[in-house]
C-alpha cells in the first residue's frame, strides 16, 4: 500500500512533575498500552504514590525506557553545547555536560533505578534531546541498555550500527520552532512512507497545549500499524538489514 504508515510512539519526560499531563495525553491518544513507550526520568523526586502510578502503567502494558537522570544539564561549556541548547535542547541535554566516563555512569544509574524499584526496564535508552554526547563506539558496550535512540535512529550498542528511522516532534513552544517542526515533520512523514520505514513519533507531556497540538491526532489517524520498540529491535530482519547505517 503506497500510503501505508507504521509508527513507534513514545512519550518523553515522564516524571512526577508531568504526571497529570502524561495521564491526560494517554487518555487522548487512545492507543494500546504496548504501543506507547514511556520515557522515564529516574532522578526526580519520586514519591511512593508516583512509583505506584508508574507501576500501574507498566502493568497495563506500557513499556518503560530510561530517559537520562535529571533531565537537566550543567551550564554549557563548549560552543557546540551552547548552540545545541539554543537551537534544540534548551537545558535538558544532560549528556553534553559529561565526558564518556560520566555518561556511562549516568546511564548506569538510570538503569539501576528501575531495578531498585522493581520496575522491569526496556532494553531501550533515550538520551534527553536524543543527544548521546561524547561517547565513542569503543564505550558503547559499557552501557547497560542494548539500544539507544538518537536523532538518526536506533543504535545497537553491541554492533555499533544505527537503524535509520524518520522522526517527528511537536514540542513547538515558540513560532519559529513551530514552523521548523512543521516542515521537518512533513519531510519525515514523506520519507517514512517512501522508504516503508517506521516513523518515530516523539511526544512530550505539554505537546497537546502547544502550537502543533492540532496535528498530533490527525497524524496518528494516518498510521496503519503501530509497532512495539521491543519487537522491532529484536527482529532479525531489522538487525540484518542492508540499509542499517554505520553509527
Amino acid at each position: 500500500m503506497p500510503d501505508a504508515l507504521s509508527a513507534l510512539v513514545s512519550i518523553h519526560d515522564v516524571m512526577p512533575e508531568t504526571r497529570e499531563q502524561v495521564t491526560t495525553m494517554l487518555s487522548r491518544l487512545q492507543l494500546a498500552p504496548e504501543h506507547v513507550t514511556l520515557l522515564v526520568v529516574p532522578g526526580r523526586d519520586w514519591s511512593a504514590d508516583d512509583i505506584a502510578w508508574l507501576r500501574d502503567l507498566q502493568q497495563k502494558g506500557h513499556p518503560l525506557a530510561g530517559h537520562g537522570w535529571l533531565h537537566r544539564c550543567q551550564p554549557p561549556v563548549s560552543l557546540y553545547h551552547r548552540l545545541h541548547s539554543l537551537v534544540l535542547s534548551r537545558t535538558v541535554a544532560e549528556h553534553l555536560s559529561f565526558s564518556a566516563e560520566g555518561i556511562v555512569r549516568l546511564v548506569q544509574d538510570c538503569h539501576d533505578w528501575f531495578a531498585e524499584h522493581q520496575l522491569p526496564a526496556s532494553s531501550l535508552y533515550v538520551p534527553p534531546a536524543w543527544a548521546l554526547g561524547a561517547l565513542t563506539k569503543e564505550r558503547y558496550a559499557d552501557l547497560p541498555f542494548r539500544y539507544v535512540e538518537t536523532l538518526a535512529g536506533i543504535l545497537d550498542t553491541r554492533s555499533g550500527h544505527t537503524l535509520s528511522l524518520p522522526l517527528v516532534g511537536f514540542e513547538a513552544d515558540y513560532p519559529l520552532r513551530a514552523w521548523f517542526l512543521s516542515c521537518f515533520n512533513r519531510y519525515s512523514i514523506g520519507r517514512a512512507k517512501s522508504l516503508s520505514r517506521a516513523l518515530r513519533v516523539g511526544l512530550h507531556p505539554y505537546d497537546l497545549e502547544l502550537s502543533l497540538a492540532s496535528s498530533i491526532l490527525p497524524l496518528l489517524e494516518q498510521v496503519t500499524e503501530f509497532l512495539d520498540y521491543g519487537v522491532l529491535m529484536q527482529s532479525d530482519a531489522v538487525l540484518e538489514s542492508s540499509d542499517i547505517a554505520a553509527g
Side-chain angles (χ1 to χ4, degrees):
M1 295 186 297
D3 292 328
L5 180 63
S6 60
L8 295 158
V9 179
S10 61
I11 298 180
H12 293 226
D13 309 351
V14 176
M15 47 190 169
E17 301 94 315
T18 62
R19 178 173 164 178
E20 179 181 350
Q21 289 74 24
V22 170
T23 300
T24 298
M25 178 170 280
L26 290 173
S27 177
R28 293 280 302 279
L29 293 181
Q30 288 294 299
L31 297 177
E34 62 269 22
H35 294 152
V36 185
T37 298
L38 304 179
L39 308 188
V40 180
V41 183
R44 312 297 283 205
D45 187 15
W46 290 87
S47 68
D49 189 53
D50 294 327
I51 295 293
W53 167 72
L54 199 58
R55 182 172 290 111
D56 179 64
L57 290 174
Q58 184 176 58
Q59 290 173 348
K60 287 178 179 176
H62 289 285
L64 305 183
H67 190 47
W69 180 249
L70 285 173
H71 206 264
R72 184 175 63 245
C73 62
Q74 298 176 21
V77 294
S78 68
L79 177 60
Y80 172 76
H81 193 171
R82 292 179 187 279
L83 291 174
H84 197 283
S85 298
L86 178 65
V87 175
L88 179 64
S89 60
R90 305 296 192 277
T91 60
V92 305
E94 60 187 321
H95 278 229
L96 299 183
S97 297
F98 296 101
S99 64
E101 188 63 37
I103 292 169
V104 170
R105 187 162 54 250
L106 182 153
V107 178
Q108 185 65 57
D109 287 345
C110 176
H111 187 271
D112 291 347
W113 181 88
F114 286 93
E116 290 168 5
H117 292 86
Q118 293 80 52
L119 293 167
S122 162
S123 56
L124 175 70
Y125 176 79
V126 184
W130 295 280
L132 187 53
L135 200 67
T136 62
K137 291 183 67 172
E138 291 72 26
R139 299 303 304 268
Y140 290 167
D142 295 333
L143 298 177
F145 295 90
R146 176 164 180 181
Y147 302 100
V148 177
E149 184 175 351
T150 67
L151 282 174
I154 300 177
L155 165 69
D156 183 336
T157 61
R158 294 185 186 174
S159 69
H161 293 156
T162 297
L163 174 64
S164 177
L165 294 174
L167 170 70
V168 294
F170 302 90
E171 199 175 22
D173 49 0
Y174 64 91
L176 181 60
R177 191 178 176 91
W179 173 82
F180 171 78
L181 284 175
S182 293
C183 296
F184 180 80
N185 289 352
R186 283 196 296 272
Y187 167 77
S188 294
I189 294 166
R191 184 165 171 260
K193 290 180 177 179
S194 66
L195 296 177
S196 297
R197 285 288 178 86
L199 178 71
R200 292 176 292 150
V201 181
L203 300 172
H204 290 78
Y206 293 93
D207 284 353
L208 291 174
E209 304 171 18
L210 300 177
S211 300
L212 297 183
S214 62
S215 62
I216 296 174
L217 296 183
L219 169 61
L220 295 178
E221 290 171 359
Q222 294 182 48
V223 175
T224 52
E225 182 182 16
F226 288 98
L227 302 176
D228 179 324
Y229 272 94
V231 172
L232 176 69
M233 292 183 296
Q234 293 170 15
S235 167
D236 290 339
V238 168
L239 294 176
E240 295 174 3
S241 169
S242 60
D243 289 333
I244 292 180

